[in-house]
Amino acid sequence: MIKELHEKLMSGEKTSVGLTREYLDRIKEKNGDIFAYLKVTEEEALERAHAADDRIKKGEAVGLLEGIPGAIKDNILIRGIQATAASKILDNYIAPYDATVIARLKEQGAVFLGKTNLDEFAMGSSTENSAYGTTRNPHDPERVPGGSSGGSAAAVAADLAVWALGTDTGGSIRQPSSFCGTVGLKPTYGRVSRYGAIAMASSFDQIGPIARTVEDAAIILGAIAGEDRMDATSARSWAKPYQDYLTGEVKGLKLGLVKSHLEGLSEPMRSSFQGVIDAYRSMGAEIVEIELPHAEYSLPVYYVIQPCEVSSNLARYDGIKYGMRSDDRKDSDLESVDIDLPRTLLETYLDSRHYGLGNEVKRRVMLGTYALSAGYYDAFYLKAQKVRTLIRRDFEEAFRKVDMILTPTAPTPAFRIGEKTSDPLQMYLEDIFTITANIAGVPAISVPGPEVEKDGKKLPFGFQLMGKWFDEEGILNAGDAYEKNGK
Amino acid sequence: MALSKEEVRHIAALARIGLSDEDLDRFSGDLGAILDWVKQLDEADASNAAPTAHVVGTDNVSDEDAVAGFDNREGLKALFPEERDGYDQVRSVF
């Protein structure tokens, strides 16, 4: 879609202002129902669109993204624009700087339509944990869009944005993409700078593209990837024009399959995933059975390490330098904490975090605090990091036999709003196929597979390809081949 | 197994999160259930694994110890919840 739009802008058939206005009008029409956007930045978008049109008219050299409008998840900073992370505690926060990915997209001339909804601080798999309301799945308004990048996925799926950025810590780009029928890619850890992304779990977080096609996702990745001195964990690597690596061919490609993944799926998801396997076979790929013996520990590994890192990263939301500060004694209903620190400063911390943070956030901060505290660190955090090494080794072993690994993205299609909110554990189980990629640091993409029928509705259902470290072009190529020839 | 209210109070104090009585009830159940669930890790034999320090093995990155400056002090100051004379006004420690 991006290439076609680019051609229209270059030929003069469309202008960026016209295109941006189209999207803004559609947002006005539909966002009330879908609630993909927390904030629409109409003025700023049209300003950037005008500038893009000027550059194009003057015949300046421009890239594929010049003047193309997209949406940004509200945990990524754009200078001068709100960044709430869908939390009350950042209700009044205006970002003082651009994330590196934003600065790079600005250099490419991209236009930003607004900030999209997410689970609060990216914690969740449905966008129901947003402090501002739930986004609805464009395919069925009674269902969730997935999470935590539900707003971004819904925006792209409902044609309220050409492309979007999300973040992925345990599947938050891929699972909503599966639920909404979009393409979503989590890069190799370190491929894309985390500077300017509101941190959740620093050893897992990555920013990545959500788009209508694999080619579009490739174009966005190329614009944002590459080493960044502002992110010490970013890898020594440079961005490529990933869209130039899409050959449409997968002959001889070795795809690893864990049999229990297929067998564990109930119908109609199982037939959908089998359809994808058959498609790759018919395109000339070889399906190789593999084992990931320690993958059974993925969920507990993730749900120990992630809350620990969360508890550390969210300590900064204390009502001191920015965000919501609440320390009016008369509002406080907190008798239950007794520490003999000076009451007034402590009250700022306790009250701001009491009123500002949602329940899921509080749960995870406390879990992490517990698991890192004296007496528990070895049994929980240290043990989890050791098992993480075992999981990583499983991947190294598997990649000796195969080029990439094929799995479903999620065990089910989009579930109903409210269906999984009564028990946190039920929600955590949604991540079962996606978290291993974050644990091992490998790149992974979700691509729409055959739709499944649930309660008389046809719903999107994605499949996932996990590649070797830094082999984004490999998984993009394989995903693109399915899109072009496999369906 | 649910955590005791004492334990939840202790954790909340460490995490600097104020909890109401209703919160105490809710979280002692939730946290207990999650902790029981992650205890599966006990079964894994990790005796010959070192903890993962950096998942893609990037080495220590260093930078020059030089002042770089930040070009949006006004943007930062505008975020202070309470401001006085250009400073962030906070409650006293003592």
Side-chain angles (χ1 to χ4, degrees):
Chain A
M1 195 178 173
I2 291 176
K3 273 191 182 164
E4 287 85 63
L5 288 173
H6 172 74
E7 250 131 65
K8 294 197 169 127
L9 293 179
M10 295 310 286
S11 72
E13 188 186 324
K14 276 193 189 284
T15 60
S16 174
V17 168
L19 182 64
T20 301
R21 279 228 165 86
E22 258 177 63
Y23 276 91
L24 289 168
D25 286 342
R26 218 166 14 243
I27 292 169
K28 277 197 186 90
E29 192 194 317
K30 290 191 181 171
N31 198 52
D33 297 322
I34 296 179
F35 196 50
Y37 284 90
L38 287 175
K39 178 140 186 101
V40 182
T41 51
E42 179 164 342
E43 233 177 83
E44 293 85 352
L46 289 170
E47 211 178 291
R48 292 192 59 76
H50 271 294
D53 284 334
D54 273 344
R55 281 189 288 270
I56 294 174
K57 220 183 288 168
K58 289 193 182 126
E60 287 177 32
V62 296
L64 289 170
L65 284 171
E66 187 78 36
I68 308 288
I72 305 294
K73 188 175 180 181
D74 206 21
N75 63 351
I76 298 172
L77 268 51
I78 304 180
R79 180 170 167 156
I81 309 284
Q82 79 171 37
T84 65
S87 179
K88 286 210 214 110
I89 213 167
L90 289 179
D91 193 56
N92 58 356
Y93 183 79
I94 306 289
Y97 63 94
D98 280 333
T100 294
V101 297
I102 296 297
R104 288 179 180 177
L105 285 166
K106 279 184 175 176
E107 267 168 48
Q108 297 284 317
V111 170
F112 309 119
L113 294 161
K115 308 303 291 300
T116 56
N117 200 15
L118 60 151
D119 281 297
E120 188 178 355
F121 284 108
M123 299 182 203
S125 309
S126 66
T127 310
E128 291 171 288
N129 290 330
S130 167
Y132 298 102
T134 301
T135 300
R136 282 152 197 279
N137 192 315
H139 295 267
D140 179 353
E142 307 290 302
R143 291 177 189 263
V144 301
S148 61
S149 310
S152 283
V156 171
D159 210 15
L160 302 181
V162 177
W163 56 270
L165 287 188
T167 63
D168 191 310
T169 302
S172 290
I173 284 174
R174 294 162 284 153
Q175 184 252 37
S177 290
S178 174
F179 280 16
C180 290
T182 61
V183 173
L185 177 124
K186 179 199 86 69
T188 308
Y189 182 80
R191 173 66 87 187
V192 176
S193 170
R194 294 182 299 109
Y195 180 71
I198 294 177
M200 180 187 160
S202 309
S203 77
F204 298 118
D205 293 345
Q206 273 291 286
I207 296 175
I210 295 176
R212 296 288 275 261
T213 64
V214 174
E215 182 183 77
D216 284 0
I219 293 170
I220 301 288
L221 181 66
I224 60 176
E227 186 185 12
D228 179 24
R229 298 298 290 174
M230 298 303 286
D231 174 3
T233 61
S234 77
R236 311 211 119 231
S237 65
W238 292 265
K240 296 176 161 128
Y242 291 98
Q243 67 276 14
D244 293 347
Y245 290 78
L246 308 178
T247 63
E249 283 292 326
V250 290
K251 272 200 198 72
L253 186 74
K254 293 201 172 75
L255 288 181
L257 177 70
V258 176
K259 230 167 72 174
S260 61
H261 286 176
L262 175 64
E263 289 166 355
L265 285 178
S266 37
E267 290 293 0
M269 288 70 73
R270 188 172 170 156
S271 292
S272 170
F273 187 52
Q274 183 67 58
V276 175
I277 296 170
D278 295 339
Y280 275 111
R281 269 208 187 97
S282 72
M283 287 191 281
E286 191 190 327
I287 308 290
V288 179
E289 254 179 56
I290 57 161
E291 284 304 322
L292 294 170
H294 296 92
E296 67 177 292
Y297 299 111
S298 296
L299 278 168
V301 163
Y302 178 73
Y303 277 100
V304 167
I305 299 176
Q306 173 251 103
C308 288
E309 297 182 359
V310 157
S311 73
S312 176
N313 280 325
L314 268 68
R316 69 195 64 180
Y317 305 109
D318 55 9
I320 299 297
K321 294 197 292 294
Y322 45 74
M324 189 181 111
R325 175 188 294 184
S326 169
D327 57 0
D328 188 338
R329 248 176 210 255
K330 72 170 157 52
D331 281 343
S332 178
D333 52 9
L334 309 168
E335 301 304 332
S336 15
V337 180
D338 44 81
I339 279 194
D340 55 359
L341 277 186
R343 179 81 179 139
T344 50
L345 182 64
L346 177 61
E347 196 170 48
T348 302
Y349 299 147
L350 296 176
D351 285 1
S352 302
R353 291 158 74 77
H354 171 67
Y355 291 110
L357 301 177
N359 284 334
E360 184 59 31
V361 174
K362 286 184 176 129
R363 243 187 306 267
R364 297 195 193 191
V365 168
M366 289 197 288
L367 256 176
T369 301
Y370 180 87
L372 287 172
S373 64
Y376 295 106
Y377 175 89
D378 282 2
F380 285 109
Y381 186 73
L382 198 60
K383 182 67 186 282
Q385 288 287 24
K386 286 182 180 176
V387 181
R388 183 174 188 179
T389 301
L390 296 177
I391 293 172
R392 206 207 122 96
R393 275 193 207 148
D394 283 353
F395 275 83
E396 283 168 11
E397 199 44 54
F399 287 139
R400 278 190 245 280
K401 304 194 194 105
V402 299
D403 300 308
M404 54 191 74
I405 301 171
L406 174 65
T407 78
T409 303
T412 64
F415 44 87
R416 287 213 157 79
I417 293 172
E419 193 179 315
K420 294 189 191 275
T421 48
S422 53
D423 177 6
L425 279 177
Q426 276 307 306
M427 196 65 89
Y428 297 167
L429 293 174
E430 276 296 309
D431 300 337
I432 190 155
F433 294 117
T434 46
I435 42 166
T436 37
N438 303 84
I439 291 172
V442 297
I445 188 170
S446 178
V447 176
E451 284 184 323
V452 296
E453 194 168 312
K454 274 243 158 177
D455 311 314
K457 271 229 146 82
K458 275 200 167 287
L459 295 172
F461 189 67
F463 66 90
Q464 176 180 239
L465 290 160
M466 293 193 281
K468 295 178 180 170
W469 294 272
F470 299 104
D471 188 25
E472 282 84 355
E473 56 264 39
I475 54 175
L476 284 163
N477 181 57
D480 176 70
Y482 176 85
E483 219 179 61
K484 291 200 173 92
N485 307 314
K487 291 200 277 200
Chain B
M1 203 187 69
L3 289 183
S4 71
K5 288 208 180 144
E6 271 318 303
E7 284 178 294
V8 181
R9 249 185 230 132
H10 174 67
I11 298 167
L14 287 175
R16 294 292 187 266
I17 296 178
L19 292 185
S20 63
D21 284 324
E22 206 188 293
D23 288 337
L24 278 178
D25 281 325
R26 176 191 302 122
F27 292 126
S28 65
D30 286 349
L31 294 181
I34 297 168
L35 287 166
D36 281 344
W37 178 64
V38 299
K39 274 222 155 66
Q40 301 168 51
L41 277 181
D42 288 350
E43 299 157 20
D45 175 12
S47 46
N48 72 335
T52 295
H54 189 295
V55 74
V56 294
T58 300
D59 287 332
N60 281 333
V61 180
S62 53
D63 215 356
E64 299 238 340
D65 187 14
V67 174
F70 180 72
D71 69 345
N72 193 12
R73 292 188 70 199
E74 289 313 310
L76 293 177
K77 281 155 78 171
L79 295 171
F80 296 160
E82 270 175 74
E83 182 258 354
R84 199 217 285 188
D85 301 334
Y87 290 92
D88 184 359
Q89 165 91 62
V90 298
R91 293 286 170 269
S92 69
V93 180
F94 300 109

